Amino acid sequence: MKAAHEYAVKNGIILKGDIPIGVNSCGADVWTNPLLFNRDMSTGAPPDYFSEDGQNWGFPTYNWDEMAKNDFYWWKKRFTVMAQYFDAYRIDHVLGFFRIWEIPRYEKSAKSGHFSPALPYSETEIEHYGFLLKPEYIGTLFLKDKNKENLLHVKINAHNEAAYLDLSILSLEIQNMPKQHGVEFANTELYPYRSVATISTHDMPSFRLWWEKFPETAKRYSSHILHAPYTPEANVDTCEKVVRMHLLSPSMLCLLSFQDWTSICYSTRTANIRNEQINNPADPNQNWCYKAHLSIEDLEQNTLFNEKIKELLTESNRNLFAFVLQNNI
């Protein structure tokens, strides 16, 4: 290899090599320097859109504390040796020098891994956040730290575990921020029951403002979701249709902003649509300065607006007041 490199250089060719982050657990490096490696652990990558189980590469992780005792001599020697054969080299997965996905050797799936280094939680910390830690949660929702078993890591993809479903934690469903990969708009009819359906949050524009700011996206929304011709402004009928769509979703809760509610009547709409966003994280001059343009008295006296809300809530079976009266609660 050295002779090949010298020949290449003489002929005006430079060679670039590749240094993978991991080494084989059965290789000479691990055999001659066993203390430098965590042989009971394996490197990999966490689950993502491309791999539900994540990736388990099978390489042992590095014992950085042990390596530091001789100023990382093993790594320096590795680079020096590589320099004999290459003029440049690429370090594959250089992030592994700072953080690596670590999986217990006996586990095949990368789901049982966690980042290392990391800051695991103590049982006291977890309970301080109001979470009651039951024994059955160990291994399903939390993983024990390899060095300190009294410390715990939150298990990635824990939301797919039966123990997680028993917690009744609600997801937040936003139609133009779908959780499905490759989907532009979520289908409100497929929202899980354990969820909160909403059109916009405090950090997002109201539906009317979103429609105005992103006309090309609004055109696709109008075509694919509303199945209606596009109009430059989100009119009353459009907004009412969107509100109804969210109320009719299977979500346990449907929480809509005041701005999205008032969009369903011309008499309750604000004239200055730009003021409807409560907070814009990208604009330091628009932080939590929203003020309602209608008083409580205005709302009470608007019969059309109140009747529309009542109709929508009753139609979607979300009229809590009617339920209370019907059941004499």
Side-chain angles (χ1 to χ4, degrees), residues 33 36 67-68 70-79:
N33 304 279
L36 301 184
M67 285 188 164
N70 63 358
D71 199 25
F72 306 98
Y73 173 76
W74 183 87
W75 269 106
K76 291 179 179 178
K77 186 177 180 181
R78 190 180 191 196
F79 291 140

Side-chain angles (χ1 to χ4, degrees), residues 8 31 76 104 173 212 225 281 327:
W31 181 53
K76 291 179 179 178
E173 305 294 334
E212 180 182 285
I225 302 299
N327 293 275

Side-chain angles (χ1 to χ4, degrees), residues 170-184:
L170 308 185
S171 64
L172 180 63
E173 305 294 334
I174 304 173
Q175 192 172 30
N176 60 5
M177 295 178 65
K179 295 180 171 62
Q180 297 78 22
H181 181 60
V183 175
E184 187 172 24

